Amino acid sequence: MSKGKLVLENGVTFEGTLFGYKGGASGEVVFNTSLTGYQEILTDPSYSGQIIIMTYPLIGNYGVNETDIESEKIQAAGFVVGNYEDEWSNFEGSHSLDNYLKKYRIPGIFGIDTRALTKMIRSEGSMRGIISDDSVSDKNLLEKVLKTPSMSGLDLVKKVTTQDSYILKSKKPKYRIAVYDYGIKKNILREFLKFNTELKVFRADTDHSEVLDYKPHGIFLSNGPGDPGAVTYAIENIKNLIPAKIPIFGICLGHQLIALALEGKTYKLKFGHRGGNHPVKNLDKNKIEITAQNHGFAVDENSLNSETVKITHTNLYDNTNEGLRHRNFPVMSVQYHPESSPGPNDSKYLFDEFMNIVQK
Amino acid sequence: MPKRTDLKTILIIGSGPIVIGQACEFDYSGTQAVKALKEEGYRVVLINSNPATIMTDPELADATYIEPINSKYIEKIIRKEKPEAILPTMGGQTALNAAMDLYEKGILDKYNVELIGAKVESIRKAESRELFHNAMTKIGLNVSNGRFVKNFEDAKSFAETSGFPVIIRPSFTLGGTGGGIAFNVEEFETLVNKGLDASPVREVLVEESLIGWKEYELEVMRDVNDNFVVICTIENFDPMGVHTGDSITVAPSQTLSDRQYQELRDAAKKIISEIGVETGGSNIQFAVNPDNGKIIVIEMNPRVSRSSALASKATGFPIAKIAAKLAVGYTLDEIPNDITKTTPSCFEPVIDYVVVKIPRWDFDKFRSSNPDNDILGVQMKSVGEVMSFGRNFKEAFQKAIRSLETGRAGLGTDGKDIYQYDYISRLNTEEKNLLKAKTLIKLQTQRYDNIFHLRYAFLLGATTEELYKVTKIDKWFLNQIKDIIEIETELRSFSF
């Protein structure tokens, strides 16, 4: 294990020890408050281009396994933890986190005061950073950090979407769901396959006419990384799909893109929502769900036309928007992650609700 | 939902004398509840037979009765104070039992007093092991194989088919009083008879043993709108077979993946809903098979418990206070978070530290003719506990050992070990192996000082694997102890 450091764009350096892949990485530094689920988090394409800090200080305890993956590789740019626990223990475990990071050539750093680092991001907002070994000077690293593209205006969807469309089928496929892959988590697909569905997963920039040619019973708009405002081709396609009156369901980036297609606005949150404990109020049912979250941008509720759009969910931490429904077309979306993985399963009912609309 | 206005006076039942299995944690929860209800403008009447408590301080409740906690005296208080409701979930098992007795004697009906926090039906379902087992089966959760028996003959016929070891748990007792694990027929007969005597209904559960499984506790809350939150997940360092009150426990859970943890969370949500606790906190215990993750529900306490006091302190979420407010009709999203003041209590605390609890025993005070009095089992023997925080497990663990005030500064290196470091390093291979074998045999029995013997075993060359086989303590925890010894060894290399 060799010494390494994390340099932030505000000029602050945190020193630690490198693990995983011995190399550098830069990206937007964000924190996640989940106590468990580091493997799902690392493999979630929505973390593309980001260096993740885990606020829980013991990471690696249960190793990694063959099941808890949200895509085919680690998507995050780097990983920052308090204590890395190499001697894992779990009946499903197959490798150590260190090996896993090495396999996908992602650097990690431990021995960092993650509490101080998180507080800094919470007060100063998300910022860019770089992980490096200690052979490079702080000054050089800071220059590199400042050259790292900022998240605003960045289309990262193109980097993570599938190149070719593909089809997945449940045992008795009855309903065709067209899935726009903006960086989809596997668990969303697994949830849909619990219903009698055939899923055709399309590349993010597929023209709406091609999707309609598939004659879907429902359309799903996935989660994904980066600034929703930069994914202009997706917004245009969604504008054309809504009038087709095919039920549409969006999650996370999908939700933001729907809002933009409905002439709403999105904005960047100061430090984002990333964790598994966010209380969200379902305004229809007057019930609270504990939700999994991962987003740096949010929908500006006031920008939406209340005559056509109904607000369905609100975050109880900061009253930001968490869900909407169209009043005239079968369109529904949420900002959080009902597929969990990692996180609580309180919101799985949304898949039922959508499939009920599809089956009508 | 706003608070209930049909209630004016609420009677809180305390937990009575401090005994093993029920100590000052219920004073802590009761005091919180008294304050919370008074804050809401209710008139609070308190009964507790123990005047050496904070909750009985004159300025706290509106009327305090230092009287025996039984239906005779509570009825007198009800007659005089005319409460509309009783909150029985703050005073441990004593208070719940007293409330059930009031119901069964028709006193609640006679004076038209309502139980809040937990209903009679829920208490029954949670406390009667038979009803509980049926309820769990109904919602598709596993419970251990067992049978309720009222005499030794029936118990024997169960043991004949299940084989040993068998766990004996008397119904309706506190801290596992009168329970035990039988490894042979002789022990079985003694324990079954003792258990029947200890149970107020002369009933015991004889149950297949889950010894060696991992043990978890979830502290959960639910409100009238069916909002549900997990306040804290606690993982036991000691595997199943040692009473939770006698186990070293750690928050949050350390060795479960998110998917495995969410399975416990989902189960807990189903359980509290099926048992029907609508307004308050519960403690739910699970056993998890370390080889395949199979989950068995052990039990559920529909009340504030020893562990909820721990969970409150570990997370900063005041379970008893919030439970009291839920009991009078508030929902979780209506109660402000005690720490942030601006966000609601309807959330799941996350922490960026590790909490370790270590029980404190006082076997010197309980020396009897039986030298095995200090063996730990399903009956709780500790007289108190310490809790410590750290940014990692090792830090919290070492702090906790020091806080026990047993004269130990931590795990070793304080010159107080039975087998000193220097002594062990002077042993030749043969002597080391002999002492190692002896230590491994000792570790097969759960005793209060086993953590120190784990240290000796590592120093004597035992591997994590060997110690796991003997103790079934998760390898993650064993490796943490090994790490502490490695740091110690490294530090020693600098000495002169």
Side-chain angles (χ1 to χ4, degrees), chain B residues 434-487:
Chain B
L434 202 67
L435 188 54
K436 180 182 136 187
K438 201 177 134 189
T439 307
L440 290 180
I441 289 169
K442 187 174 165 53
L443 283 167
Q444 284 175 353
T445 311
Q446 281 286 348
R447 285 183 204 254
Y448 73 100
D449 58 352
N450 272 15
I451 46 173
F452 295 102
H453 292 275
L454 286 174
R455 172 183 140 83
Y456 306 143
F458 273 126
L459 285 174
L460 290 162
T463 62
T464 304
E465 199 61 44
E466 279 176 301
L467 285 172
Y468 175 68
K469 270 191 192 137
V470 175
T471 63
K472 292 286 176 187
I473 295 171
D474 195 285
K475 284 176 220 165
W476 190 82
F477 291 115
L478 292 172
N479 281 326
Q480 294 287 316
I481 289 186
K482 194 179 79 186
D483 285 351
I484 295 176
I485 297 167
E486 276 168 11
I487 296 166

Side-chain angles (χ1 to χ4, degrees), chain A residues 64-312:
Chain A
V64 296
N65 60 47
E66 306 295 337
T67 316
D68 295 331
I69 51 167
E70 287 305 317
S71 69
E72 296 307 327
K73 58 171 190 175
I74 296 181
Q75 302 279 356
F79 205 37
V80 181
V81 303
N83 296 271
Y84 166 59
E85 300 289 336
D86 194 50
E87 288 175 300
W88 56 273
S89 168
N90 191 280
F91 65 97
E92 282 183 304
S94 57
H95 295 90
S96 72
L97 175 59
D98 179 51
N99 283 337
Y100 198 60
L101 290 166
K102 281 194 176 103
K103 182 177 169 190
Y104 293 104
R105 301 169 72 84
I106 302 297
I109 186 166
F110 70 93
I112 300 271
D113 184 348
T114 47
R115 184 181 287 173
L117 178 56
T118 302
K119 279 184 171 172
M120 190 178 286
I121 287 171
R122 214 168 52 180
S123 61
E124 296 179 35
S126 307
M127 49 184 122
R128 291 164 292 170
I130 190 164
I131 296 176
S132 166
D133 60 41
D134 65 352
S135 66
V136 193
S137 75
D138 289 4
K139 192 171 157 274
N140 277 350
L141 290 171
L142 184 59
E143 277 169 19
K144 279 190 182 173
V145 171
L146 294 172
K147 279 183 204 151
T148 305
S150 121
M151 205 44 96
S152 290
L154 204 59
D155 171 15
L156 288 168
V157 168
K158 277 199 175 127
K159 200 178 136 192
V160 293
T161 185
T162 179
Q163 287 312 302
D164 304 305
S165 62
Y166 58 94
I167 285 181
L168 297 168
K169 285 179 184 181
S170 62
K171 273 189 187 139
K172 291 178 190 164
K174 198 171 163 196
Y175 302 100
R176 287 181 301 279
I177 308 292
V179 176
Y180 262 114
D181 174 12
Y182 304 130
I184 196 164
K185 283 173 68 188
K186 276 182 187 271
N187 211 45
I188 294 175
L189 300 171
R190 291 182 206 118
E191 286 300 324
F192 275 121
L193 290 173
K194 286 179 187 169
F195 298 87
N196 295 330
T197 54
E198 175 185 289
L199 309 176
K200 185 162 185 183
V201 184
F202 292 94
R203 208 167 89 161
D205 58 0
T206 306
D207 192 77
H208 64 276
S209 59
E210 194 179 323
V211 168
L212 291 175
D213 285 346
Y214 174 58
K215 299 205 179 343
H217 298 95
I219 298 168
F220 178 75
L221 309 175
S222 86
N223 64 297
D227 186 344
V231 201
T232 45
Y233 47 90
I235 300 166
E236 284 312 309
N237 280 319
I238 296 166
K239 276 184 185 168
N240 286 306
L241 287 169
I242 291 173
K245 293 196 174 173
I246 297 166
I248 299 178
F249 180 25
I251 287 179
C252 202
L253 183 67
H255 165 73
Q256 295 161 358
L257 294 172
I258 287 173
L260 292 171
L262 296 172
E263 310 296 339
K265 288 191 175 73
T266 56
Y267 62 99
K268 193 164 190 328
L269 293 164
K270 189 176 177 191
F271 50 82
H273 292 166
R274 292 172 191 91
N277 72 330
H278 283 247
V280 164
K281 190 167 203 164
N282 180 320
L283 301 171
D284 278 345
K285 297 181 182 166
N286 197 28
K287 269 196 71 175
I288 318 296
E289 299 153 32
I290 304 299
T291 66
Q293 303 240 346
N294 172 20
H295 62 113
F297 291 82
V299 170
D300 176 5
E301 251 175 38
N302 298 323
S303 69
L304 293 165
N305 181 351
S306 61
E307 279 172 24
T308 49
V309 179
K310 184 180 159 189
I311 303 303
T312 55

Side-chain angles (χ1 to χ4, degrees), chain B residues 3 46 119 148 199 203 214 311 397 465 491:
Chain B
K3 73 177 179 204
L46 173 71
K119 304 287 174 205
F148 292 91
S199 166
E203 180 187 81
K214 289 150 79 86
F397 187 68
E465 199 61 44
L491 288 174

Side-chain angles (χ1 to χ4, degrees), chain B residues 182-200:
Chain B
F183 291 88
N184 55 50
V185 183
E186 292 76 39
E187 287 176 359
F188 186 64
E189 183 163 6
T190 315
L191 284 168
V192 169
N193 287 326
K194 207 173 116 195
L196 289 170
D197 290 344
S199 166

